[in-house]
Amino acid sequence: MAKDFWAKHENLYYALTNKKVIFGLTIVAFVFLLAAFGPMIAQYEYDEYAGQGYLPPSSEHFFGTTIDGKDVFTRTVNGLRSTLLVGAIAGSIATLIGCIIGFVAGYYGGTIFDELLMMLTNIFVVMPQLALLIVIAAFLEVRGTFVMAVIVASTAWPWTARAVRSQTLSLKNQEYVSLSRISSISVGRILREDIASNMFSYVFMVFIQQFNGTMLATVQLEFLGLGPTKGISLGLVMQNAVNWNGIQLGMWWWAIIPGLILTILITALYFINTGLDAAFNPRLREM
Amino acid sequence: MAKNKDVVMSVQGLTKVFKSGILNPEYTVAAKDISFDIEKGKIISLIGESGSGKTTVGKLILKLINPSEGKIIYNGKDISEIKEKEETKQYYRRVQGIFQDPFATFNPLYRVDRVFDLIFDSFDLDYEDKDQAIREALFDVNLNPDRTLGKFPHQLSGGQLQRLLIARALLMDVDVLIADELISMLDASTRIGVLNLLVESCKKHGMAVIFITHDLNLGYYISDHSLIMYKGRLVERGDTKKVYENATHPYTQMLFEAVPEIGERWDPDEEFLPEQVVQDVKEFYQENQGKGFVEIEEEHSVLFSDK
Ligand SMILES: Nc1ncnc2c1ncn2[C@@H]1O[C@H](COP(=O)(O)OP(=O)(O)O)[C@@H](O)[C@H]1O
Ligand SMILES: [Mg+2]
């Protein structure tokens, strides 16, 4: 039984046994668990005076305290939760829009429809991203998680649309699609086995890359003070640290730890993606 | 035209214009006014250099693209009118192809066996034991089944993949086979074997083959009839021997002069149209204005002018 399952889902098997994927997934899982359960472990409120200022990491304050005595661990895990949520929702929206527009444009490649869709996409591509984000973010006085995600996603989807379009175009013209056609198998099976299966791994990787990008964009906005109007975020923790000259004052834990978590997460996502690339592509599989 | 021909398929005035771009559309006339008959058990070579429209003609016959003009008659019916699913399946049961690029013909995510699975899934093939039939077909094309089945496409060479596709086509025992640059990937020793296999199959099962090639020698070696294509047009057509012995169109003549030395490969991607030929052809058409396609001897016709 189990053997049958793996034979059918060979890709999944290769993905889950790839060392880079395992390594990346472990770290990502750890960061997610931190975001999910950290706030429960934390003994303080993120804005509460938790003790003395200037304290380095200890068993009392895992990540130390800020200059005004707030608990950095509490702030970081709460911020991480908010930032991850925005990044994940934004990444999903961007992937979804990008894939739909890209797939439709590619499928109708060369028609007026395709051309219109690509015109729209190109307009978004040439728009200066940060400037646009600042304008939108500043315009909206109250920004919750979802609004933040939409703002970030609005400039993130175009490159996915472009990439997915060219992927669809090239898949559509593959000779193996022609071979399936002259083998008289159903259109559904062609879409599934020849188009979608070659697309699925790609879309999956696109999503991870999007998530990567939207996380960074989110932190960037938060750092500029354009994050959610309520609550704490990863970018905001770092912004505070920089504003208070945390590093110059020797409080490395304040700015470095949140930054490190972000860096580790992004590196882990990158590992997953390169590992998946090898797993999904039989050509790159280590035999 | 000679009588007593056993025509299985008739190509009539076939034209294909590709349009690319919307705002500034560009038109490519890939094939123009192509007519010929395909006879049972005969091999026809379709010869011309890269870009002359050979693959386009093959794809039209395989219903992979639709003609801009003209008809392909099979079983008394224009194949453009075959739309219904079951009828399409019946068509592909009898008309098959082997594509130019073997690497692109295999879905990289599946083991190579899939090309056989697909035809056994779709068609009622008349074999008692599927696995045994596949193994025999592989032996026929000089492949060791144990070393090829179960492999991924990237683990095999272009020549091996091409032979797998030949085995697939032979298993189907079709009426018409389109073989596009079939043996371009095979080394010299396998080449002759595969060619002979093809000829044998034609004689034995009455299969007709359209043998698409840019290699004049191959065309001569294998075919009963030859079609010479130049810039989307059929410029000379007929019995292979007659076309080769009495080449009349300036482009055909040039082809003979340009035949590479034995052993030298002719790069199919090379743009290869000396200015001189273009000029010669133009003058030839001018001199013979109004003549059109003329049968200069029995089983041998030449395009004398464009109109
Ligand atoms: N899908 C297509 N869209 C636009 N132009 C095409 C397409 N397919 C082929 N062509 C053009 O049609 C001409 C004939 O191509 P092809 O039939 O592939 O030639 P050959 O097989 O003789 O090398 C070429 O100029 C080629 O660029
Ligand atoms: Mg070709």
Side-chain angles (χ1 to χ4, degrees):
Chain A
M1 283 303 120
K3 218 170 175 186
D4 277 0
F5 177 82
W6 289 121
K8 261 210 184 103
H9 301 272
E10 231 170 23
N11 276 343
L12 193 63
Y13 174 79
Y14 282 110
L16 293 180
T17 51
N18 183 290
K19 288 192 196 93
K20 286 181 189 156
V21 175
I22 295 173
F23 175 72
L25 273 180
T26 312
I27 291 180
V28 170
F30 185 75
V31 174
F32 271 72
L33 287 176
L34 194 64
F37 297 109
M40 296 179 196
I41 302 170
Q43 290 149 22
Y44 311 96
E45 292 296 313
Y46 72 88
D47 244 359
E48 163 187 21
Y49 174 77
Q52 237 182 317
Y54 274 103
L55 289 179
S58 65
S59 59
E60 182 80 5
H61 302 283
F62 303 140
F63 293 175
T65 58
T66 66
I67 197 163
D68 49 355
K70 288 172 188 163
D71 184 54
V72 178
F73 177 77
T74 310
R75 291 177 76 74
T76 303
V77 291
N78 278 291
L80 185 64
R81 184 188 264 191
S82 153
T83 304
L84 272 183
L85 206 58
V86 173
I89 298 175
S92 308
I93 298 176
T95 306
L96 193 70
I97 297 177
C99 283
I100 292 174
I101 292 189
F103 192 75
V104 171
Y107 192 80
Y108 294 100
T111 64
I112 190 90
F113 197 47
D114 169 30
E115 216 131 310
L116 284 175
L117 284 177
M118 280 303 107
M119 208 137 77
L120 179 79
T121 308
N122 289 337
I123 290 173
F124 273 86
V125 167
V126 295
M127 241 189 292
Q129 184 178 8
L130 200 58
L132 182 78
L133 290 177
I134 292 172
V135 171
I136 301 178
F139 189 70
L140 291 167
E141 273 176 20
V142 181
R143 298 181 300 269
T145 304
F146 190 71
V147 172
M148 275 304 294
V150 171
I151 293 174
V152 173
S154 68
T155 60
W157 65 269
W159 72 261
T160 297
R162 274 187 173 185
V164 168
R165 172 180 177 270
S166 68
Q167 184 78 357
T168 310
L169 268 181
S170 82
L171 282 181
K172 207 177 67 172
N173 291 323
Q174 283 295 331
E175 219 94 270
Y176 57 75
V177 174
S178 298
L179 192 81
S180 290
R181 283 175 64 190
I182 67 171
S183 299
S184 243
I185 64 172
S186 67
V187 176
R189 195 165 162 197
I190 292 178
L191 282 176
R192 235 178 15 253
E193 294 181 6
D194 290 329
I195 312 269
S197 64
N198 276 287
M199 202 79 164
F200 173 75
S201 52
Y202 187 77
V203 168
F204 194 71
M205 296 198 293
V206 159
F207 170 70
I208 292 178
Q209 216 159 329
Q210 273 292 4
F211 180 45
N212 219 329
T214 49
M215 277 289 294
L216 274 177
T218 308
V219 172
Q220 224 172 43
L221 282 184
E222 292 163 353
F223 194 84
L224 291 172
L226 296 168
T229 36
K230 278 204 320 219
I232 185 80
S233 63
L234 213 52
L236 201 56
V237 177
M238 291 193 265
Q239 186 212 41
N240 288 162
V242 169
N243 282 352
W244 288 92
N245 290 326
I247 294 183
Q248 286 90 328
L249 295 173
M251 294 185 287
W252 53 268
W253 55 86
W254 192 0
I256 303 262
I257 292 179
L260 201 61
I261 293 176
L262 181 69
T263 312
I264 288 175
L265 176 66
I266 281 169
T267 312
L269 289 172
Y270 174 78
F271 264 96
I272 295 180
N273 241 3
T274 32
L276 285 182
D277 200 15
F280 287 152
N281 186 345
R283 216 176 289 252
L284 300 178
R285 269 178 207 159
E286 301 150 41
M287 283 285 168
Chain B
M1 285 270 151
K3 304 116 207 108
N4 298 329
K5 287 204 307 187
D6 195 351
V7 175
V8 284
M9 190 181 271
S10 178
V11 174
Q12 300 175 357
L14 206 56
T15 300
K16 178 68 188 180
V17 182
F18 285 110
K19 184 181 165 201
S20 44
I22 301 296
L23 301 178
N24 285 315
E26 262 181 47
Y27 297 92
T28 312
V29 182
K32 190 175 171 198
D33 199 14
I34 307 278
S35 302
F36 60 94
D37 287 341
I38 301 170
E39 288 174 60
K40 189 175 162 69
K42 292 281 164 72
I43 300 186
I44 303 178
S45 339
L46 184 54
I47 302 165
E49 72 215 335
S50 181
S52 56
K54 309 180 296 292
T55 297
T56 301
V57 171
K59 286 193 169 162
L60 285 163
I61 294 176
L62 288 171
K63 273 174 72 65
L64 290 169
I65 49 179
N66 297 317
S68 311
E69 265 174 64
K71 289 187 281 200
I72 298 169
I73 308 291
Y74 178 73
N75 275 345
K77 187 173 179 184
D78 181 0
I79 63 164
S80 311
E81 277 155 31
I82 300 180
K83 299 234 159 69
E84 202 251 324
K85 221 169 119 187
E86 196 49 39
E87 209 182 349
T88 309
K89 189 179 261 189
Q90 286 316 312
Y91 183 71
Y92 286 133
R93 178 66 195 83
R94 306 258 53 111
V95 180
Q96 276 295 319
I98 299 169
F99 303 120
Q100 196 167 342
D101 180 355
F103 292 107
T105 312
F106 287 82
N107 184 332
L109 293 182
Y110 292 86
R111 297 173 193 282
V112 294
D113 316 35
R114 179 172 184 256
V115 299
F116 299 114
D117 293 339
L118 293 184
I119 56 170
F120 277 93
D121 286 354
S122 286
F123 307 111
D124 276 327
L125 298 184
D126 202 10
Y127 296 102
E128 276 178 17
D129 183 345
K130 171 186 164 186
D131 294 331
Q132 192 53 34
I134 294 173
R135 291 179 71 86
E136 272 167 29
L138 289 179
F139 279 123
D140 280 345
V141 293
N142 202 12
L143 282 178
N144 180 347
D146 299 320
R147 293 221 187 129
T148 38
L149 295 177
K151 291 273 202 285
F152 281 100
H154 70 275
Q155 296 172 312
L156 299 177
S157 72
Q160 287 173 315
L161 294 177
Q162 221 160 24
R163 277 179 283 160
L164 279 170
L165 294 170
I166 297 169
R168 170 191 173 277
L170 294 182
L171 266 174
M172 286 192 66
D173 181 22
V174 291
D175 289 343
V176 178
L177 176 66
I178 314 289
D180 199 345
E181 308 276 359
L182 182 61
I183 56 167
S184 55
M185 296 262 179
L186 303 186
D187 50 50
S189 56
T190 336
R191 213 175 247 213
I192 300 296
V194 166
L195 285 181
N196 290 340
L197 186 71
L198 215 54
V199 176
E200 217 173 274
S201 237
C202 293
K203 301 286 168 275
K204 212 156 76 189
H205 305 289
M207 174 175 73
V209 177
I210 313 242
F211 190 80
I212 298 178
T213 181
H214 56 268
D215 187 332
L216 215 53
N217 288 325
L218 275 179
Y220 186 68
Y221 179 81
I222 199 171
S223 62
D224 304 291
H225 297 278
S226 291
L227 309 168
I228 312 288
M229 254 187 119
Y230 168 70
K231 290 191 170 180
R233 309 247 3 205
L234 222 53
V235 294
E236 193 148 357
R237 162 186 93 191
D239 181 81
T240 293
K241 216 154 186 240
K242 290 179 180 166
V243 171
Y244 279 63
E245 276 167 12
N246 188 15
T248 305
H249 193 278
Y251 176 70
T252 320
Q253 290 175 345
M254 185 280 298
L255 276 184
F256 281 103
E257 285 157 20
V259 167
E261 299 290 310
I262 304 282
E264 191 181 315
R265 287 288 296 279
W266 194 350
D267 181 3
D269 293 327
E270 189 184 337
E271 272 305 331
F272 164 77
L273 251 197
E275 281 299 307
Q276 189 56 39
V277 188
V278 181
Q279 194 56 35
D280 285 356
V281 172
K282 209 182 247 168
E283 279 168 21
F284 181 75
Y285 287 161
Q286 252 156 23
E287 277 166 31
N288 298 291
Q289 225 165 16
K291 276 195 186 168
F293 214 70
V294 180
E295 184 166 38
I296 57 169
E297 56 184 318
E298 200 181 323
E299 294 280 317
H300 184 188
S301 310
V302 176
L303 182 70
F304 276 95
S305 69
D306 235 344
K307 292 282 127 52

